[in-house]
């Protein structure tokens, strides 16, 4: 009796190999119930409960084969000379993670859990990345919901290294050292997943056309999901503001204007709701007595920089997208921007005190305090954004059917003086070194001259003085381009696209009237200046698709002259 064994069909005992695929993969006890076992039913994965009895292919295997056939069919349709190779599929459930699948043309994508919009399989793989955990890109993972909201530490560190030199490009000012250190901390002490995955999204985006870019959709999905969860939980709100900014810049750079505009408005509204514009310690208390004077430690410094990040996005892209601004700056205390001008992140890391006072920051700037404080590169960028939006708002408020009033003319004149005084405070283009701040300063110079174009553009057709000022500003934008090296283009801000478009439009109109202008102008000189701007637009369009359509329209108008 002691040696008697239980029959194979005894309740509670399942014959080896008869468990469902999901339970076998997770090494869980399976009751073998069909159509869904108890484990899958409890996990609400009943639709994923499959059994492999060896008599046919599972739904997952059939789905894999369908995807492979569709991929090769797309390539055949795009390239008539392409010959679809024979594809060998394998059953991942019969192999351990340590084994390599059979070599095939599908190997490079078969190990990715990320849906790819690419119509070709990349030639490179991430399989060489060191990892103490099972490979992130196992074939099985493609058909499972993501188990990790962020990649392993070694992969996350690699993505941060890729992103780091490009952070100014999308307006993000953070302590990268602090960000890298947070990867090894407990999850509760890390930055919000929505923010981190937005950074990883940008790392993939700026790597185009390298194989890394095929994972953009994965990190985009994770960031959007994290943003939704974060808003529901009200957790780490500043991170959510910055995540929204990064997502907006990503969509805008790719020409997805509606999504970009939505996230820009959401980021601005959230920043105001959280009181980031107020710059008050009562909104973001630090350790200790809240009644103490305003401090600018690294933590508070990053919050100040976060506000100006969303401010730049709101002001600049409201002009480019022709939409109202979201962040108010009124006379009331609740609507006034009182956040101090930002300093460089290194100054906050060193514990330097904030320059200036945190009271009506923008209003004081427009009233004449152009050169009082705020000389850091982030501060210059914020001031350029303020001028750019203010010039467009002021000029477009004029009704062309009504003669401009004296007060309106005075406002135009005062703003021009403010822009001119601001440009005089900027570092000379000839003195710009090959530092990380160089692309941002090129953007600041361009925004300032583009502001003059927007300020006088409505009056240019009927006013020779305004026409001349527009032309001079457009040529100044072209002159700035001559200081941009080929290596700079990889780090330029996407907002330069709309600025260059305004400059090019001005010169195209000048070309259209060149035969009747007085004094006479050299058409060849104007074409050369236009060629410089179009070259820059085409170069940047290879990185940011948003410029492609604008450049094509200008080329068409130029060809019709």
């Amino acid at each position: 009796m002691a040696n008697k064994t239980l029959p194979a069909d005894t309740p509670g005992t399942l014959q080896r190999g008869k468990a469902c695929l999901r339970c076998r993969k997770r090494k869980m006890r399976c009751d073998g119930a069909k159509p869904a076992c108890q484990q899958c039913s409890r996990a609400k994965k009943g639709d994923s409960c499959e059994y492999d009895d060896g008599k046919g292919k599972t739904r997952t295997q059939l789905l894999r084969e369908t995807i492979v056939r569709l991929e090769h069919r797309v390539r055949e349709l795009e390239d008539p000379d392409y010959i679809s190779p024979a594809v060998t599929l394998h059953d991942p459930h019969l192999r351990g993670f340590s084994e390599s699948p059979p070599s095939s043309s599908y190997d490079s994508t078969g190990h990715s859990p990320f849906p790819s919009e690419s119509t070709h399989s990349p030639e490179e793989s991430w399989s060489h990345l060191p990892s103490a955990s099972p490979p992130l890109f196992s074939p099985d993972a493609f058909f499972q919901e993501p188990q990790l909201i962020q990649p392993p530490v070694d992969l996350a560190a690699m993505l941060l290294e890729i992103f780091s030199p490009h952070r100014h490009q999308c307006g993000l000012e953070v302590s990268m050292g602090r960000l890298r250190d947070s990867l090894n901390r407990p999850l509760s002490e890390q930055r919000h997943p929505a923010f981190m995955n937005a950074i990883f999204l940008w790392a993939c985006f700026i790597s185009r056309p390298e194989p890394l870019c095929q994972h953009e959709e994965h990190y985009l999905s994770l960031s959007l999901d994290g943003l939704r969860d974060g808003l529901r939980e009200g957790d780490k709100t500043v991170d959510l503001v910055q995540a929204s900014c990064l997502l907006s810049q990503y969509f805008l750079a790719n020409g997805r204007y509606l999504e970009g505009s939505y996230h820009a408005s959401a980021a601005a509204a959230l920043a105001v709701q959280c009181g980031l514009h107020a710059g008050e310690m009562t909104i973001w208390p630090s350790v200790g007595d809240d009644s103490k004077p305003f401090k600018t430690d690294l933590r508070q410094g990053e919050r100040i920089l976060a506000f100006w990040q969303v401010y730049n996005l709101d002001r600049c892209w409201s002009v480019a997208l022709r939409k109202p601004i979201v962040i108010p700056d009124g006379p009331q205390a609740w609507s006034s921007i009182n956040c101090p001008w930002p300093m460089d992140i290194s100054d906050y890391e060193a514990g330097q005190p904030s320059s200036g006072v945190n009271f009506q920051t923008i209003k004081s700037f427009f009233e004449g305090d152009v050169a009082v404080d705020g000389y850091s590169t982030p501060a210059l960028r914020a001031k350029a954004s303020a001028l750019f939006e203010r010039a467009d708002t002021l000029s477009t408020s004029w009704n062309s059917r009504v003669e401009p009033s004296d007060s309106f003319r005075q406002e135009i004149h005062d703003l021009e003086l403010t822009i001119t005084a601001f440009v005089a405070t900027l570092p000379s283009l000839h003195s710009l070194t090959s530092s990380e701040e160089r692309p941002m300063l090129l953007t600041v110079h361009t925004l300032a001259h583009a502001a003059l174009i927007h300020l006088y553009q409505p009056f240019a057709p009927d006013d020779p003085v305004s026409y001349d000022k527009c032309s001079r500003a457009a040529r100044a934008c072209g002159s700035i381009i001559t200081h941009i090296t080929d290596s700079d283009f990889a780090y330029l801000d996407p907002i330069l696209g709309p600025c260059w478009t305004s400059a090019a439009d001005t010169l195209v109109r000048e070309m259209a009237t060149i035969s009747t202008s007085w004094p006479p102008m050299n058409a060849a000189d104007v074409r050369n200046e236009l060629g410089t701007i179009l070259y820059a637009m085409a170069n940047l369009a290879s990185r940011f698709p948003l410029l492609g359509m604008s450049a094509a329209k200008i080329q068409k108008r130029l060809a019709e002259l």
Side-chain angles (χ1 to χ4, degrees), residues 460-520:
D462 303 315
D463 180 26
V465 175
S466 298
Y467 180 91
D468 181 65
K469 290 180 178 179
C470 277
S471 296
R472 289 176 182 273
R475 286 179 168 80
C477 290
S479 176
I480 295 169
I481 293 174
T482 62
H483 292 83
I484 300 176
T485 64
D486 289 339
S487 60
D488 288 332
F489 279 98
Y491 305 97
L492 294 179
D493 193 315
I495 194 60
L496 286 176
C499 294
W500 291 342
T501 301
S502 298
D505 283 337
T506 300
L507 294 179
V508 168
R509 287 196 297 270
E510 192 170 299
M511 283 289 300
T513 60
I514 201 167
S515 59
T516 59
S517 64
W518 185 263

Side-chain angles (χ1 to χ4, degrees), residues 19-147:
C20 76
L21 299 180
R22 185 173 180 273
C23 289
R24 286 162 61 182
K25 177 185 175 183
R26 289 161 176 75
K27 294 182 173 58
M28 297 188 300
R29 185 181 299 276
C30 182
D31 60 6
K34 296 182 180 180
C37 70
Q38 189 176 13
Q39 295 281 13
C40 291
S41 298
R42 286 178 179 174
K44 298 182 180 180
K45 298 288 184 180
D47 294 339
S48 303
C49 188
E50 297 180 350
Y51 293 88
D52 184 6
D53 56 7
K55 298 178 181 179
K57 297 178 180 179
T58 65
R59 289 199 311 269
T60 300
Q61 292 168 323
L62 292 173
L63 182 57
R64 281 198 186 90
E65 292 183 6
T66 301
I67 290 176
V68 174
R69 286 197 301 271
L70 290 175
E71 282 186 340
H72 289 297
R73 181 56 179 156
V74 170
R75 290 198 64 182
E76 289 173 353
L77 292 174
E78 290 190 338
D79 185 4
D81 298 327
Y82 173 77
I83 300 176
S84 179
V87 179
T88 303
L89 295 176
H90 68 285
D91 185 354
H93 304 293
L94 301 180
R95 294 178 177 270
F97 279 109
S98 60
E99 295 184 46
S100 300
S103 176
S104 73
S105 62
Y106 185 57
D107 283 354
S108 57
T109 55
H111 290 270
S112 173
F114 309 119
S116 173
E117 295 180 354
S118 175
T119 56
H120 63 280
S121 298
E123 298 177 357
E124 298 181 25
S125 171
W126 285 5
S127 59
H128 64 281
L129 290 177
S131 177
S133 57
L136 180 63
F137 308 132
S138 64
D140 225 15
F142 189 97
F143 302 95
Q144 301 289 341
E145 293 184 1
Q147 300 297 315

Side-chain angles (χ1 to χ4, degrees), residues 429-457:
L429 290 171
H430 298 281
S431 66
L432 297 184
T433 59
S434 57
S435 64
E436 286 188 351
E437 296 180 343
R438 174 184 168 86
M440 194 189 304
L441 290 171
L442 291 168
T443 301
V444 170
H445 276 272
T446 303
L447 281 171
H449 291 289
L452 287 173
I453 296 177
H454 283 271
L455 183 62
Y456 286 106
Q457 197 171 53

Side-chain angles (χ1 to χ4, degrees), residues 46 130 246 279 310 397 409 423 441 486 512:
L246 292 174
V310 70
S397 66
R409 292 179 185 275
V423 172
L441 290 171
D486 289 339

Side-chain angles (χ1 to χ4, degrees), residues 334-388:
W334 65 270
S335 64
S336 176
I337 295 178
N338 297 323
C339 190
W341 292 118
M343 300 189 297
D344 292 316
I345 190 66
S346 58
D347 293 334
Y348 292 118
E349 290 175 328
Q352 293 188 16
S354 176
S355 58
V357 295
N358 55 321
F359 180 70
Q360 295 189 335
T361 311
I362 300 297
K363 187 173 183 293
S364 299
F365 172 64
F366 283 129
E367 289 179 350
D369 293 341
V370 177
V372 173
D373 52 49
Y375 284 109
S376 69
T377 304
L380 295 178
R381 176 67 173 86
K383 291 178 178 179
S385 299
L387 293 171
F388 184 62

Side-chain angles (χ1 to χ4, degrees), residues 115-352:
S116 173
E117 295 180 354
S118 175
T119 56
H120 63 280
S121 298
E123 298 177 357
E124 298 181 25
S125 171
W126 285 5
S127 59
H128 64 281
L129 290 177
S131 177
S133 57
L136 180 63
F137 308 132
S138 64
D140 225 15
F142 189 97
F143 302 95
Q144 301 289 341
E145 293 184 1
Q147 300 297 315
L148 297 174
I149 56 176
Q150 289 182 201
V153 174
D154 50 358
L155 177 56
M158 184 196 75
L159 293 173
L160 280 181
E161 287 302 316
I162 295 173
F163 172 79
S164 181
H166 295 267
R167 62 190 184 277
H168 307 300
Q169 190 172 24
C170 47
L172 181 64
E173 300 292 330
V174 294
S175 172
M176 294 306 297
R178 183 182 177 191
L179 199 59
R180 280 188 290 266
D181 293 343
S182 70
L183 297 176
N184 297 306
R185 294 177 183 173
L187 189 61
S188 60
E189 298 180 16
Q190 295 183 19
R191 305 295 290 266
H192 198 280
F195 175 62
M196 296 304 299
N197 283 306
I199 289 178
F200 301 150
L201 166 67
W202 263 89
C204 294
F205 171 51
I206 58 184
S207 71
R208 292 181 181 179
E210 297 298 325
L212 186 62
C213 71
Q214 69 176 309
H215 308 303
E216 289 177 37
E217 285 297 323
H218 171 73
Y219 288 117
L220 174 59
S221 177
L222 287 181
S223 185
L224 290 172
D225 289 345
L227 188 61
R228 178 197 61 211
D229 295 340
L231 290 172
R232 181 175 62 245
E233 298 166 2
D235 185 31
K236 301 178 180 178
T237 319
V238 176
D239 286 359
L240 300 183
V241 171
Q242 292 177 302
S244 296
C245 289
L246 292 174
L247 288 170
S248 175
Q249 287 276 48
Y250 171 79
F251 285 126
L252 293 171
N254 281 281
R256 297 164 65 171
Y257 301 115
L258 190 60
E259 295 161 290
S261 175
Y262 168 81
H263 285 282
S265 298
L270 184 59
V272 173
Q273 185 175 1
C274 297
L276 286 181
H277 66 298
E280 295 177 356
M281 289 298 292
T282 55
I283 301 298
W284 302 109
S286 61
V287 178
D289 185 3
D290 289 346
S291 64
K292 290 181 179 180
F294 182 79
K295 295 182 179 180
T296 52
D297 56 10
L298 179 57
R299 184 180 179 87
Q300 186 67 19
E302 287 194 345
R303 288 165 179 158
I304 293 172
L305 289 166
F307 168 74
W308 292 109
Q309 177 189 5
V310 70
Y311 177 87
N312 292 334
L313 181 67
D314 179 54
R315 289 309 194 258
C316 290
W317 285 97
S318 67
V319 175
L321 299 174
R322 314 310 304 166
K323 72 182 189 69
I325 60 173
V326 176
I327 300 177
D329 190 20
Q332 300 88 358
W334 65 270
S335 64
S336 176
I337 295 178
N338 297 323
C339 190
W341 292 118
M343 300 189 297
D344 292 316
I345 190 66
S346 58
D347 293 334
Y348 292 118
E349 290 175 328
Q352 293 188 16

